[in-house]
Amino acid sequence: MSEPLYRKVVVKVGTNVITNNKGELDLQILDQLVSQIAALRKQGVEVLLVSSGAVGAGRSIVKLPSSLSPVASRQVLSSTGQIRLINTYAELFEQCGLNIAQILVTKSDFRDRLHYLNIRTCLASLLEHEIIPIINENDAVSVTELMFTDNDELSGMIASMMQVDAYIILSHVDGLFDMSRKERTASLIRTIDVAAEHFHQYIKPGKSEFGRGGMLTKCHIAHKLARFGITVHIANGRTSGILTEILNGKEVGTRFIAQKPVYGRKRWIAHSEGLEKGAVTINAGAETALRSPKRANSLLPVGIESVIGTFFKGDIIKICSENGEAIGYGMAQYSSEKTKEILGKKGEKPLIHYDYLYLMT
């Protein structure tokens, strides 16, 4: 048996992979998935599983009136379905001699650095004791402003947090297809080098039937993680033995080639969209300096034009261009009040040091 390509991976399985056309759990697919993860674990591969499907599982338990609001419906289905989903996983993994743990999170759990580190410590401890963490969004308490875009976003944050070697997105399609051409049959894109090309030229936005996310979200997350040094695979989770093939280095699905690794706080800050406490608008000169490929620059007060909201030292803030477009995120080194006092002044300490700065592409 060949040596696995990766030693630590996050596997994200989508709703449409593990549910049938009625939206209910597909036990045959779940059994195949669990068997593959168990085989990888025996080879020494650490696996963190981010699994959708709670709402789908809930559909097979309760029937709700159409008059119920979408939020309430999701809360009822997810809270009842999560029990069936995790119990199904527990039974299947137990047959393979493995224990699992359930981790339910909300987006707000990642807002605070201490909470972020606590989640990381918990997951690391589970892996150390050879327990498979199964992670999902806590839809029972998440409402619109606290929700992840979908589990692609959640699993991407977990992959970044745990500094895995690879992030594997199992979807109900074979990968990213080139939709830019007019041919009747689009071709599957095998590799994307994020240093040289962008996926937008290929993609045709669309959403899955039962899940909240689509290929556009998947590729955004893949592009970001590849820039951090994490190889990303998008493949068909309903294909027999797909995980085994990926870990054996076979060319299946679409692979985003990893760049030079980025560690520490920058990874946390990079996933702070929607969690920021305030914002600053910078001028064109400051934006050019921050984006300079030749030297690392911090954000100085001289380049700041305005301050939006209230923030304090240690808070994550958004950086906007002159036209209001978000160009990055960073950790403030002092408060919004002090920032207003030294706005546009030279010779002041950086509001955001380069080590605590993340710029979007």
Side-chain angles (χ1 to χ4, degrees), residues 10-13 47-52 82 85-86 89 101-105 110 119 123 126 132-138 151 154-155 158-159 162:
V10 162
V11 175
K12 184 267 176 178
V13 57
V47 180
L48 299 104
L49 176 61
V50 179
S51 177
S52 303
Q82 184 64 34
L85 178 66
I86 203 67
Y89 275 124
Q102 175 179 247
I103 310 292
L104 297 176
V105 298
F110 292 81
I119 295 171
L123 294 175
L126 291 170
I132 307 291
I134 300 181
I135 307 148
N136 197 3
E137 181 172 10
N138 191 347
N151 267 352
L154 167 59
S155 52
I158 297 295
M162 299 306 294

PDB file of all heavy atoms in Angstrom, residues 10-13 47-52 82 85-86 89 101-105 110 119 123 126 132-138 151 154-155 158-159 162:
ATOM      1  N   VAL A  10      -8.854  17.998   6.171  1.00  0.00           N
ATOM      2  CA  VAL A  10     -10.253  18.282   6.467  1.00  0.00           C
ATOM      3  C   VAL A  10     -11.063  17.775   5.289  1.00  0.00           C
ATOM      4  O   VAL A  10     -10.755  18.085   4.135  1.00  0.00           O
ATOM      5  CB  VAL A  10     -10.504  19.789   6.670  1.00  0.00           C
ATOM      6  CG1 VAL A  10     -12.001  20.113   6.547  1.00  0.00           C
ATOM      7  CG2 VAL A  10     -10.013  20.250   8.030  1.00  0.00           C
ATOM      8  N   VAL A  11     -12.079  16.976   5.587  1.00  0.00           N
ATOM      9  CA  VAL A  11     -12.994  16.490   4.559  1.00  0.00           C
ATOM     10  C   VAL A  11     -14.340  17.146   4.799  1.00  0.00           C
ATOM     11  O   VAL A  11     -14.926  17.011   5.880  1.00  0.00           O
ATOM     12  CB  VAL A  11     -13.147  14.954   4.602  1.00  0.00           C
ATOM     13  CG1 VAL A  11     -14.202  14.494   3.602  1.00  0.00           C
ATOM     14  CG2 VAL A  11     -11.813  14.279   4.330  1.00  0.00           C
ATOM     15  N   LYS A  12     -14.826  17.879   3.811  1.00  0.00           N
ATOM     16  CA  LYS A  12     -16.148  18.505   3.903  1.00  0.00           C
ATOM     17  C   LYS A  12     -17.095  17.749   2.997  1.00  0.00           C
ATOM     18  O   LYS A  12     -16.853  17.615   1.792  1.00  0.00           O
ATOM     19  CB  LYS A  12     -16.065  19.979   3.520  1.00  0.00           C
ATOM     20  CG  LYS A  12     -17.405  20.718   3.699  1.00  0.00           C
ATOM     21  CD  LYS A  12     -18.232  20.737   2.436  1.00  0.00           C
ATOM     22  CE  LYS A  12     -19.602  21.381   2.672  1.00  0.00           C
ATOM     23  NZ  LYS A  12     -20.409  21.445   1.431  1.00  0.00           N
ATOM     24  N   VAL A  13     -18.173  17.245   3.557  1.00  0.00           N
ATOM     25  CA  VAL A  13     -19.148  16.503   2.764  1.00  0.00           C
ATOM     26  C   VAL A  13     -20.439  17.303   2.700  1.00  0.00           C
ATOM     27  O   VAL A  13     -20.985  17.739   3.719  1.00  0.00           O
ATOM     28  CB  VAL A  13     -19.388  15.085   3.332  1.00  0.00           C
ATOM     29  CG1 VAL A  13     -19.830  15.136   4.784  1.00  0.00           C
ATOM     30  CG2 VAL A  13     -20.393  14.327   2.493  1.00  0.00           C
ATOM     31  N   VAL A  47      -7.988  12.894  10.269  1.00  0.00           N
ATOM     32  CA  VAL A  47      -9.119  13.383   9.481  1.00  0.00           C
ATOM     33  C   VAL A  47     -10.084  14.160  10.365  1.00  0.00           C
ATOM     34  O   VAL A  47     -10.507  13.675  11.413  1.00  0.00           O
ATOM     35  CB  VAL A  47      -9.882  12.222   8.806  1.00  0.00           C
ATOM     36  CG1 VAL A  47     -11.053  12.767   7.983  1.00  0.00           C
ATOM     37  CG2 VAL A  47      -8.949  11.395   7.931  1.00  0.00           C
ATOM     38  N   LEU A  48     -10.411  15.377   9.926  1.00  0.00           N
ATOM     39  CA  LEU A  48     -11.471  16.164  10.545  1.00  0.00           C
ATOM     40  C   LEU A  48     -12.614  16.215   9.539  1.00  0.00           C
ATOM     41  O   LEU A  48     -12.414  16.618   8.388  1.00  0.00           O
ATOM     42  CB  LEU A  48     -11.001  17.585  10.873  1.00  0.00           C
ATOM     43  CG  LEU A  48      -9.826  17.701  11.853  1.00  0.00           C
ATOM     44  CD1 LEU A  48      -8.552  18.025  11.081  1.00  0.00           C
ATOM     45  CD2 LEU A  48     -10.081  18.781  12.899  1.00  0.00           C
ATOM     46  N   LEU A  49     -13.799  15.799   9.958  1.00  0.00           N
ATOM     47  CA  LEU A  49     -14.935  15.714   9.054  1.00  0.00           C
ATOM     48  C   LEU A  49     -15.917  16.843   9.342  1.00  0.00           C
ATOM     49  O   LEU A  49     -16.403  16.984  10.464  1.00  0.00           O
ATOM     50  CB  LEU A  49     -15.633  14.364   9.213  1.00  0.00           C
ATOM     51  CG  LEU A  49     -16.912  14.137   8.396  1.00  0.00           C
ATOM     52  CD1 LEU A  49     -16.637  14.236   6.904  1.00  0.00           C
ATOM     53  CD2 LEU A  49     -17.525  12.787   8.745  1.00  0.00           C
ATOM     54  N   VAL A  50     -16.178  17.664   8.337  1.00  0.00           N
ATOM     55  CA  VAL A  50     -17.220  18.692   8.433  1.00  0.00           C
ATOM     56  C   VAL A  50     -18.390  18.201   7.602  1.00  0.00           C
ATOM     57  O   VAL A  50     -18.273  18.047   6.386  1.00  0.00           O
ATOM     58  CB  VAL A  50     -16.722  20.061   7.933  1.00  0.00           C
ATOM     59  CG1 VAL A  50     -17.850  21.085   8.020  1.00  0.00           C
ATOM     60  CG2 VAL A  50     -15.516  20.527   8.742  1.00  0.00           C
ATOM     61  N   SER A  51     -19.487  17.920   8.257  1.00  0.00           N
ATOM     62  CA  SER A  51     -20.609  17.275   7.575  1.00  0.00           C
ATOM     63  C   SER A  51     -21.889  18.086   7.633  1.00  0.00           C
ATOM     64  O   SER A  51     -22.365  18.464   8.707  1.00  0.00           O
ATOM     65  CB  SER A  51     -20.876  15.888   8.183  1.00  0.00           C
ATOM     66  OG  SER A  51     -22.002  15.289   7.564  1.00  0.00           O
ATOM     67  N   SER A  52     -22.452  18.353   6.476  1.00  0.00           N
ATOM     68  CA  SER A  52     -23.802  18.896   6.370  1.00  0.00           C
ATOM     69  C   SER A  52     -24.779  17.721   6.508  1.00  0.00           C
ATOM     70  O   SER A  52     -24.370  16.597   6.738  1.00  0.00           O
ATOM     71  CB  SER A  52     -23.976  19.577   5.015  1.00  0.00           C
ATOM     72  OG  SER A  52     -23.012  20.583   4.820  1.00  0.00           O
ATOM     73  N   GLN A  82     -29.952  16.647  13.572  1.00  0.00           N
ATOM     74  CA  GLN A  82     -28.565  16.511  13.999  1.00  0.00           C
ATOM     75  C   GLN A  82     -28.366  15.262  14.855  1.00  0.00           C
ATOM     76  O   GLN A  82     -27.342  14.596  14.778  1.00  0.00           O
ATOM     77  CB  GLN A  82     -28.121  17.755  14.775  1.00  0.00           C
ATOM     78  CG  GLN A  82     -26.645  17.760  15.193  1.00  0.00           C
ATOM     79  CD  GLN A  82     -25.701  17.775  14.011  1.00  0.00           C
ATOM     80  OE1 GLN A  82     -25.985  18.375  12.979  1.00  0.00           O
ATOM     81  NE2 GLN A  82     -24.561  17.108  14.147  1.00  0.00           N
ATOM     82  N   LEU A  85     -28.279  12.367  12.440  1.00  0.00           N
ATOM     83  CA  LEU A  85     -27.044  12.413  11.662  1.00  0.00           C
ATOM     84  C   LEU A  85     -25.853  11.915  12.476  1.00  0.00           C
ATOM     85  O   LEU A  85     -25.098  11.042  12.024  1.00  0.00           O
ATOM     86  CB  LEU A  85     -26.782  13.847  11.182  1.00  0.00           C
ATOM     87  CG  LEU A  85     -25.498  14.085  10.383  1.00  0.00           C
ATOM     88  CD1 LEU A  85     -25.544  13.344   9.045  1.00  0.00           C
ATOM     89  CD2 LEU A  85     -25.279  15.581  10.158  1.00  0.00           C
ATOM     90  N   ILE A  86     -25.696  12.435  13.693  1.00  0.00           N
ATOM     91  CA  ILE A  86     -24.524  12.063  14.495  1.00  0.00           C
ATOM     92  C   ILE A  86     -24.635  10.621  14.989  1.00  0.00           C
ATOM     93  O   ILE A  86     -23.624   9.901  15.090  1.00  0.00           O
ATOM     94  CB  ILE A  86     -24.322  13.046  15.669  1.00  0.00           C
ATOM     95  CG1 ILE A  86     -22.855  13.016  16.133  1.00  0.00           C
ATOM     96  CG2 ILE A  86     -25.267  12.775  16.809  1.00  0.00           C
ATOM     97  CD1 ILE A  86     -21.869  13.558  15.141  1.00  0.00           C
ATOM     98  N   TYR A  89     -23.553   8.416  12.100  1.00  0.00           N
ATOM     99  CA  TYR A  89     -22.085   8.415  12.023  1.00  0.00           C
ATOM    100  C   TYR A  89     -21.480   7.566  13.145  1.00  0.00           C
ATOM    101  O   TYR A  89     -20.539   6.789  12.922  1.00  0.00           O
ATOM    102  CB  TYR A  89     -21.536   9.839  12.110  1.00  0.00           C
ATOM    103  CG  TYR A  89     -21.481  10.577  10.797  1.00  0.00           C
ATOM    104  CD1 TYR A  89     -22.120  11.806  10.640  1.00  0.00           C
ATOM    105  CD2 TYR A  89     -20.754  10.066   9.713  1.00  0.00           C
ATOM    106  CE1 TYR A  89     -22.060  12.493   9.426  1.00  0.00           C
ATOM    107  CE2 TYR A  89     -20.688  10.759   8.508  1.00  0.00           C
ATOM    108  CZ  TYR A  89     -21.338  11.977   8.378  1.00  0.00           C
ATOM    109  OH  TYR A  89     -21.270  12.644   7.182  1.00  0.00           O
ATOM    110  N   ALA A 101     -16.507  12.467  17.849  1.00  0.00           N
ATOM    111  CA  ALA A 101     -16.944  13.545  18.735  1.00  0.00           C
ATOM    112  C   ALA A 101     -17.740  14.538  17.902  1.00  0.00           C
ATOM    113  O   ALA A 101     -17.440  14.756  16.730  1.00  0.00           O
ATOM    114  CB  ALA A 101     -15.749  14.237  19.376  1.00  0.00           C
ATOM    115  N   GLN A 102     -18.768  15.119  18.513  1.00  0.00           N
ATOM    116  CA  GLN A 102     -19.587  16.104  17.821  1.00  0.00           C
ATOM    117  C   GLN A 102     -19.189  17.507  18.257  1.00  0.00           C
ATOM    118  O   GLN A 102     -19.135  17.801  19.449  1.00  0.00           O
ATOM    119  CB  GLN A 102     -21.071  15.871  18.130  1.00  0.00           C
ATOM    120  CG  GLN A 102     -21.982  16.932  17.533  1.00  0.00           C
ATOM    121  CD  GLN A 102     -23.447  16.666  17.833  1.00  0.00           C
ATOM    122  OE1 GLN A 102     -24.241  16.384  16.968  1.00  0.00           O
ATOM    123  NE2 GLN A 102     -23.801  16.748  19.109  1.00  0.00           N
ATOM    124  N   ILE A 103     -18.914  18.380  17.284  1.00  0.00           N
ATOM    125  CA  ILE A 103     -18.584  19.772  17.555  1.00  0.00           C
ATOM    126  C   ILE A 103     -19.555  20.642  16.764  1.00  0.00           C
ATOM    127  O   ILE A 103     -19.566  20.611  15.536  1.00  0.00           O
ATOM    128  CB  ILE A 103     -17.139  20.124  17.125  1.00  0.00           C
ATOM    129  CG1 ILE A 103     -16.136  19.111  17.678  1.00  0.00           C
ATOM    130  CG2 ILE A 103     -16.791  21.550  17.534  1.00  0.00           C
ATOM    131  CD1 ILE A 103     -15.973  19.147  19.160  1.00  0.00           C
ATOM    132  N   LEU A 104     -20.392  21.413  17.481  1.00  0.00           N
ATOM    133  CA  LEU A 104     -21.323  22.332  16.839  1.00  0.00           C
ATOM    134  C   LEU A 104     -20.883  23.765  17.133  1.00  0.00           C
ATOM    135  O   LEU A 104     -20.650  24.122  18.287  1.00  0.00           O
ATOM    136  CB  LEU A 104     -22.746  22.111  17.358  1.00  0.00           C
ATOM    137  CG  LEU A 104     -23.366  20.735  17.073  1.00  0.00           C
ATOM    138  CD1 LEU A 104     -24.740  20.628  17.722  1.00  0.00           C
ATOM    139  CD2 LEU A 104     -23.468  20.485  15.578  1.00  0.00           C
ATOM    140  N   VAL A 105     -20.754  24.561  16.090  1.00  0.00           N
ATOM    141  CA  VAL A 105     -20.249  25.923  16.260  1.00  0.00           C
ATOM    142  C   VAL A 105     -21.128  26.923  15.512  1.00  0.00           C
ATOM    143  O   VAL A 105     -21.911  26.562  14.632  1.00  0.00           O
ATOM    144  CB  VAL A 105     -18.801  26.048  15.756  1.00  0.00           C
ATOM    145  CG1 VAL A 105     -17.867  25.153  16.550  1.00  0.00           C
ATOM    146  CG2 VAL A 105     -18.715  25.725  14.261  1.00  0.00           C
ATOM    147  N   PHE A 110     -15.885  32.200  16.218  1.00  0.00           N
ATOM    148  CA  PHE A 110     -14.590  32.504  15.615  1.00  0.00           C
ATOM    149  C   PHE A 110     -14.244  33.990  15.719  1.00  0.00           C
ATOM    150  O   PHE A 110     -13.179  34.401  15.285  1.00  0.00           O
ATOM    151  CB  PHE A 110     -14.586  32.085  14.142  1.00  0.00           C
ATOM    152  CG  PHE A 110     -14.633  30.599  13.945  1.00  0.00           C
ATOM    153  CD1 PHE A 110     -15.826  29.907  14.012  1.00  0.00           C
ATOM    154  CD2 PHE A 110     -13.464  29.881  13.710  1.00  0.00           C
ATOM    155  CE1 PHE A 110     -15.871  28.526  13.842  1.00  0.00           C
ATOM    156  CE2 PHE A 110     -13.498  28.505  13.548  1.00  0.00           C
ATOM    157  CZ  PHE A 110     -14.698  27.829  13.608  1.00  0.00           C
ATOM    158  N   ILE A 119     -11.286  26.327  20.437  1.00  0.00           N
ATOM    159  CA  ILE A 119     -11.774  25.341  19.472  1.00  0.00           C
ATOM    160  C   ILE A 119     -10.600  24.548  18.912  1.00  0.00           C
ATOM    161  O   ILE A 119     -10.662  23.320  18.779  1.00  0.00           O
ATOM    162  CB  ILE A 119     -12.550  26.031  18.333  1.00  0.00           C
ATOM    163  CG1 ILE A 119     -13.815  26.699  18.864  1.00  0.00           C
ATOM    164  CG2 ILE A 119     -12.927  25.012  17.245  1.00  0.00           C
ATOM    165  CD1 ILE A 119     -14.522  27.570  17.843  1.00  0.00           C
ATOM    166  N   LEU A 123     -10.008  20.426  19.118  1.00  0.00           N
ATOM    167  CA  LEU A 123      -9.851  19.573  17.943  1.00  0.00           C
ATOM    168  C   LEU A 123      -8.507  18.851  17.950  1.00  0.00           C
ATOM    169  O   LEU A 123      -8.418  17.671  17.600  1.00  0.00           O
ATOM    170  CB  LEU A 123      -9.993  20.414  16.667  1.00  0.00           C
ATOM    171  CG  LEU A 123     -11.382  21.009  16.420  1.00  0.00           C
ATOM    172  CD1 LEU A 123     -11.364  21.926  15.204  1.00  0.00           C
ATOM    173  CD2 LEU A 123     -12.423  19.915  16.238  1.00  0.00           C
ATOM    174  N   LEU A 126      -8.665  15.936  20.380  1.00  0.00           N
ATOM    175  CA  LEU A 126      -9.418  14.812  19.825  1.00  0.00           C
ATOM    176  C   LEU A 126      -8.558  14.010  18.846  1.00  0.00           C
ATOM    177  O   LEU A 126      -8.536  12.768  18.888  1.00  0.00           O
ATOM    178  CB  LEU A 126     -10.680  15.315  19.124  1.00  0.00           C
ATOM    179  CG  LEU A 126     -11.769  15.894  20.025  1.00  0.00           C
ATOM    180  CD1 LEU A 126     -12.848  16.580  19.205  1.00  0.00           C
ATOM    181  CD2 LEU A 126     -12.382  14.798  20.907  1.00  0.00           C
ATOM    182  N   ILE A 132     -12.381  10.889  15.820  1.00  0.00           N
ATOM    183  CA  ILE A 132     -12.755  11.631  14.617  1.00  0.00           C
ATOM    184  C   ILE A 132     -13.687  12.786  14.986  1.00  0.00           C
ATOM    185  O   ILE A 132     -14.827  12.543  15.402  1.00  0.00           O
ATOM    186  CB  ILE A 132     -13.462  10.735  13.578  1.00  0.00           C
ATOM    187  CG1 ILE A 132     -12.635   9.481  13.260  1.00  0.00           C
ATOM    188  CG2 ILE A 132     -13.785  11.534  12.314  1.00  0.00           C
ATOM    189  CD1 ILE A 132     -11.372   9.749  12.497  1.00  0.00           C
ATOM    190  N   PRO A 133     -13.255  14.049  14.854  1.00  0.00           N
ATOM    191  CA  PRO A 133     -14.174  15.168  15.106  1.00  0.00           C
ATOM    192  C   PRO A 133     -15.149  15.316  13.933  1.00  0.00           C
ATOM    193  O   PRO A 133     -14.725  15.340  12.775  1.00  0.00           O
ATOM    194  CB  PRO A 133     -13.247  16.395  15.193  1.00  0.00           C
ATOM    195  CG  PRO A 133     -11.843  15.853  15.210  1.00  0.00           C
ATOM    196  CD  PRO A 133     -11.892  14.530  14.534  1.00  0.00           C
ATOM    197  N   ILE A 134     -16.431  15.407  14.237  1.00  0.00           N
ATOM    198  CA  ILE A 134     -17.441  15.667  13.214  1.00  0.00           C
ATOM    199  C   ILE A 134     -18.055  17.030  13.535  1.00  0.00           C
ATOM    200  O   ILE A 134     -18.675  17.213  14.583  1.00  0.00           O
ATOM    201  CB  ILE A 134     -18.508  14.568  13.168  1.00  0.00           C
ATOM    202  CG1 ILE A 134     -17.844  13.224  12.852  1.00  0.00           C
ATOM    203  CG2 ILE A 134     -19.569  14.897  12.120  1.00  0.00           C
ATOM    204  CD1 ILE A 134     -18.808  12.067  12.750  1.00  0.00           C
ATOM    205  N   ILE A 135     -17.855  17.961  12.628  1.00  0.00           N
ATOM    206  CA  ILE A 135     -18.163  19.369  12.888  1.00  0.00           C
ATOM    207  C   ILE A 135     -19.310  19.824  11.994  1.00  0.00           C
ATOM    208  O   ILE A 135     -19.382  19.459  10.827  1.00  0.00           O
ATOM    209  CB  ILE A 135     -16.905  20.230  12.618  1.00  0.00           C
ATOM    210  CG1 ILE A 135     -15.700  19.682  13.404  1.00  0.00           C
ATOM    211  CG2 ILE A 135     -17.145  21.695  12.980  1.00  0.00           C
ATOM    212  CD1 ILE A 135     -14.377  19.883  12.726  1.00  0.00           C
ATOM    213  N   ASN A 136     -20.182  20.631  12.571  1.00  0.00           N
ATOM    214  CA  ASN A 136     -21.294  21.186  11.800  1.00  0.00           C
ATOM    215  C   ASN A 136     -21.671  22.530  12.407  1.00  0.00           C
ATOM    216  O   ASN A 136     -21.338  22.817  13.568  1.00  0.00           O
ATOM    217  CB  ASN A 136     -22.497  20.232  11.820  1.00  0.00           C
ATOM    218  CG  ASN A 136     -23.515  20.539  10.732  1.00  0.00           C
ATOM    219  OD1 ASN A 136     -23.314  21.430   9.903  1.00  0.00           O
ATOM    220  ND2 ASN A 136     -24.611  19.804  10.725  1.00  0.00           N
ATOM    221  N   GLU A 137     -22.344  23.348  11.619  1.00  0.00           N
ATOM    222  CA  GLU A 137     -22.849  24.606  12.152  1.00  0.00           C
ATOM    223  C   GLU A 137     -24.030  24.320  13.064  1.00  0.00           C
ATOM    224  O   GLU A 137     -24.843  23.437  12.785  1.00  0.00           O
ATOM    225  CB  GLU A 137     -23.281  25.534  11.021  1.00  0.00           C
ATOM    226  CG  GLU A 137     -23.798  26.879  11.519  1.00  0.00           C
ATOM    227  CD  GLU A 137     -24.059  27.873  10.411  1.00  0.00           C
ATOM    228  OE1 GLU A 137     -24.025  27.476   9.238  1.00  0.00           O
ATOM    229  OE2 GLU A 137     -24.301  29.050  10.726  1.00  0.00           O
ATOM    230  N   ASN A 138     -24.118  25.070  14.149  1.00  0.00           N
ATOM    231  CA  ASN A 138     -25.230  24.908  15.087  1.00  0.00           C
ATOM    232  C   ASN A 138     -26.422  25.715  14.579  1.00  0.00           C
ATOM    233  O   ASN A 138     -26.693  26.826  15.032  1.00  0.00           O
ATOM    234  CB  ASN A 138     -24.811  25.371  16.489  1.00  0.00           C
ATOM    235  CG  ASN A 138     -25.817  24.972  17.549  1.00  0.00           C
ATOM    236  OD1 ASN A 138     -26.928  24.563  17.242  1.00  0.00           O
ATOM    237  ND2 ASN A 138     -25.432  25.093  18.809  1.00  0.00           N
ATOM    238  N   ASN A 151     -21.403  25.401   4.877  1.00  0.00           N
ATOM    239  CA  ASN A 151     -20.355  24.609   5.522  1.00  0.00           C
ATOM    240  C   ASN A 151     -19.031  24.631   4.761  1.00  0.00           C
ATOM    241  O   ASN A 151     -18.008  24.183   5.285  1.00  0.00           O
ATOM    242  CB  ASN A 151     -20.831  23.167   5.728  1.00  0.00           C
ATOM    243  CG  ASN A 151     -21.448  22.969   7.100  1.00  0.00           C
ATOM    244  OD1 ASN A 151     -21.387  23.868   7.952  1.00  0.00           O
ATOM    245  ND2 ASN A 151     -22.032  21.814   7.339  1.00  0.00           N
ATOM    246  N   LEU A 154     -17.292  27.259   6.805  1.00  0.00           N
ATOM    247  CA  LEU A 154     -16.921  26.688   8.100  1.00  0.00           C
ATOM    248  C   LEU A 154     -15.739  25.741   7.959  1.00  0.00           C
ATOM    249  O   LEU A 154     -14.755  25.838   8.706  1.00  0.00           O
ATOM    250  CB  LEU A 154     -18.117  25.958   8.712  1.00  0.00           C
ATOM    251  CG  LEU A 154     -17.824  25.051   9.918  1.00  0.00           C
ATOM    252  CD1 LEU A 154     -17.193  25.833  11.045  1.00  0.00           C
ATOM    253  CD2 LEU A 154     -19.100  24.347  10.375  1.00  0.00           C
ATOM    254  N   SER A 155     -15.816  24.823   7.017  1.00  0.00           N
ATOM    255  CA  SER A 155     -14.743  23.836   6.865  1.00  0.00           C
ATOM    256  C   SER A 155     -13.442  24.487   6.422  1.00  0.00           C
ATOM    257  O   SER A 155     -12.356  24.045   6.804  1.00  0.00           O
ATOM    258  CB  SER A 155     -15.159  22.745   5.870  1.00  0.00           C
ATOM    259  OG  SER A 155     -15.607  23.307   4.651  1.00  0.00           O
ATOM    260  N   ILE A 158     -11.867  25.772   9.518  1.00  0.00           N
ATOM    261  CA  ILE A 158     -11.291  24.665  10.284  1.00  0.00           C
ATOM    262  C   ILE A 158      -9.972  24.216   9.652  1.00  0.00           C
ATOM    263  O   ILE A 158      -8.981  23.978  10.351  1.00  0.00           O
ATOM    264  CB  ILE A 158     -12.275  23.473  10.353  1.00  0.00           C
ATOM    265  CG1 ILE A 158     -13.552  23.868  11.106  1.00  0.00           C
ATOM    266  CG2 ILE A 158     -11.615  22.266  11.012  1.00  0.00           C
ATOM    267  CD1 ILE A 158     -13.360  24.192  12.562  1.00  0.00           C
ATOM    268  N   ALA A 159      -9.944  24.117   8.333  1.00  0.00           N
ATOM    269  CA  ALA A 159      -8.718  23.710   7.630  1.00  0.00           C
ATOM    270  C   ALA A 159      -7.593  24.683   7.894  1.00  0.00           C
ATOM    271  O   ALA A 159      -6.439  24.296   8.139  1.00  0.00           O
ATOM    272  CB  ALA A 159      -8.993  23.601   6.123  1.00  0.00           C
ATOM    273  N   MET A 162      -6.459  24.474  11.702  1.00  0.00           N
ATOM    274  CA  MET A 162      -5.721  23.278  12.070  1.00  0.00           C
ATOM    275  C   MET A 162      -4.474  23.049  11.221  1.00  0.00           C
ATOM    276  O   MET A 162      -3.778  22.051  11.381  1.00  0.00           O
ATOM    277  CB  MET A 162      -6.642  22.059  11.968  1.00  0.00           C
ATOM    278  CG  MET A 162      -7.858  22.117  12.885  1.00  0.00           C
ATOM    279  SD  MET A 162      -7.439  22.402  14.614  1.00  0.00           S
ATOM    280  CE  MET A 162      -6.569  20.890  15.008  1.00  0.00           C
TER     281      MET A 162
END
